Amino acid sequence: MTTAVRNQELSMSAALNRALADALEADERVLVFGEDVGPLGGVFRVTDGLTARFGEHRVFDTPLAESGIVGTAIGMAMNGMRPVVEMQFDAFAYPAFEQITSHLAKIHNRTRGRVELPVVIRVPYGGGIGGVEHHCDSSEAYYTHTPGLRVVTPGTLGDAYQLLRDAIDSPDPVIFLEPKRRYWSKGPVALDRSGPAMDRALVRRPGKDVTLIAYGPMVATALETAAAAAEEGWDVEVVDLRSLSPFDDETVTESVRRTGRAVVVHEAAGFSGYGAEVVARVTERCFHHLHAPILRVTGFDIPYPPPKLEEHHLPGVDRILDAIARLQWDDEVVGFGG
């Protein structure tokens, strides 16, 4: 079997499944484990069929103990393995947070580079599935604030495959955030690795009036907004960050300097959210190119709401269009850099 099979019609969960299967086949050091990832195939069926194909010694279930899962992965990685573990749901990962921040993220630095920890932690994150308490969260800012971790999130079907393959091959620990509301989206997927490096952002839609900066589950929403904005006369560029840490300053600032306006979109809470860092970095580098302050469209500063209220919490096309409309389009208004 080869990983160069192109343009298959797959869902995002199926693309991730293929990435895991191809990685397991390519490198016998790769292991996949977590809660219910074995015969059941995972809550979202991302690991479906992998135990039957590769055996219980390589794809196996663990006790319901997230700290133990990550601690085990750290020990395995220190001894030459390449573990890929699943946290099942975003808010389930918090019991493992001490292992992640105190050990996984720091051992390479503590050993002056002598010990590598090629561990991938897969975290289904975000809302949009009507999940009950503890089943929906957006915890990306916790991980990006932790030096020593790579944090990536696919916003497209193709990136689901490529980014996961790249994450598994990385010598660094990677927090791999999977937008659970996009698991069932379908389309043609190129099952190859010819795309840009894991730490590069991509312009998903070119435009000249304003840059929409999004990632993970909000990429599709940003593209939908750009199409709607065209009917209002705005030519919107969409940048998919892909890598949250490290951050691709070059691609993002190049876009904003061309358009002169920007809106950052994410579904996590706004206060101290990841978008605040994006706004700060872009403002520092693009201040004299801006015609208006950079705006954010985010979730509200509340815990994820119950399923019946979730649609009001998650940023949608109308809220993003409202932000674009507030970007000082009147030529008589003096902008930042004019």
Side-chain angles (χ1 to χ4, degrees):
M1 181 178 175
T2 175
T3 60
V5 179
R6 293 178 177 271
N7 295 328
Q8 294 192 20
E9 188 82 9
L10 296 172
S11 65
M12 180 174 282
S13 62
L16 293 166
N17 179 276
R18 287 294 300 271
L20 291 170
D22 289 348
L24 284 159
E25 185 175 61
D27 189 342
E28 63 181 10
R29 298 172 299 169
V30 175
L31 304 170
V32 176
F33 55 96
E35 298 165 6
D36 298 322
V37 304
L40 179 65
V43 172
F44 298 102
R45 300 300 184 266
V46 173
T47 56
D48 189 37
L50 297 182
T51 297
R53 179 176 172 186
F54 295 99
E56 292 185 350
H57 64 295
R58 296 192 65 197
V59 183
F60 53 90
D61 290 334
T62 66
L64 304 182
E66 288 78 13
S67 181
I69 293 170
V70 175
T72 300
I74 292 170
M76 287 181 167
M78 293 177 73
N79 286 277
M81 307 305 287
R82 305 187 79 89
V84 182
V85 303
E86 179 183 300
M87 291 288 100
Q88 198 171 75
F89 285 95
D90 32 41
F92 288 11
Y94 297 139
F97 199 66
E98 195 274 336
Q99 287 282 4
I100 294 171
T101 58
S102 295
H103 305 291
L104 183 65
K106 293 183 172 65
I107 285 178
H108 186 67
N109 179 269
R110 285 174 177 166
T111 61
R112 299 184 180 181
R114 291 191 297 272
V115 177
E116 292 182 342
L117 290 182
V119 176
V120 177
I121 300 180
R122 294 180 40 245
V123 183
Y125 84 118
I129 64 166
V132 296
E133 190 176 13
H134 304 307
H135 287 72
C136 289
D137 209 350
S138 291
S139 48
E140 58 267 31
Y142 299 136
Y143 301 117
T144 60
H145 188 65
T146 305
L149 299 176
R150 288 183 178 267
V151 183
V152 299
T153 179
T156 66
L157 300 174
D159 263 355
Y161 180 87
Q162 181 187 333
L163 283 178
L164 185 52
R165 290 298 309 277
D166 290 348
I168 294 171
D169 284 349
S170 173
D172 303 313
V174 180
I175 306 298
F176 192 86
L177 300 171
E178 300 172 4
K180 65 172 82 80
R181 68 190 295 193
R182 306 301 180 192
Y183 274 141
W184 302 279
S185 58
K186 281 190 173 183
V189 181
L191 297 177
D192 62 27
R193 304 178 65 184
S194 60
M198 181 170 62
D199 58 357
R200 300 294 291 182
L202 278 176
V203 175
R204 295 291 183 191
R205 184 188 191 278
K208 61 181 178 61
D209 293 333
V210 56
T211 300
L212 274 187
I213 303 169
Y215 56 87
M218 285 291 107
V219 172
T221 305
L223 290 169
E224 185 181 354
T225 302
E231 300 178 6
E232 304 291 332
W234 294 310
D235 189 8
V236 176
E237 180 152 299
V238 176
V239 175
D240 176 1
L241 293 181
R242 304 174 76 242
S243 173
L244 306 187
S245 181
F247 186 82
D248 182 2
D249 288 298
E250 180 181 357
T251 300
V252 177
T253 56
E254 179 182 337
S255 174
V256 176
R257 286 177 179 177
R258 277 190 290 101
T259 64
R261 294 177 172 87
V263 176
V264 182
V265 184
H266 61 69
E267 62 180 68
F271 186 81
S272 291
Y274 183 76
E277 175 65 21
V278 177
V279 171
R281 298 181 76 89
V282 175
T283 300
E284 289 168 357
R285 291 161 176 79
C286 302
F287 182 82
H288 294 291
H289 299 265
L290 293 175
H291 303 307
I294 302 173
L295 300 181
R296 290 175 290 164
V297 180
T298 72
F300 300 117
D301 294 335
I302 58 172
Y304 262 71
K308 289 185 178 181
L309 300 176
E310 193 177 40
E311 64 177 295
H312 304 293
H313 175 74
L314 301 175
V317 172
D318 289 342
R319 285 176 58 194
I320 301 172
L321 287 175
D322 287 344
I324 292 174
R326 291 188 282 115
L327 287 174
Q328 298 183 4
W329 296 97
D330 188 344
D331 290 336
E332 298 300 318
V333 176
V334 178
F336 275 19

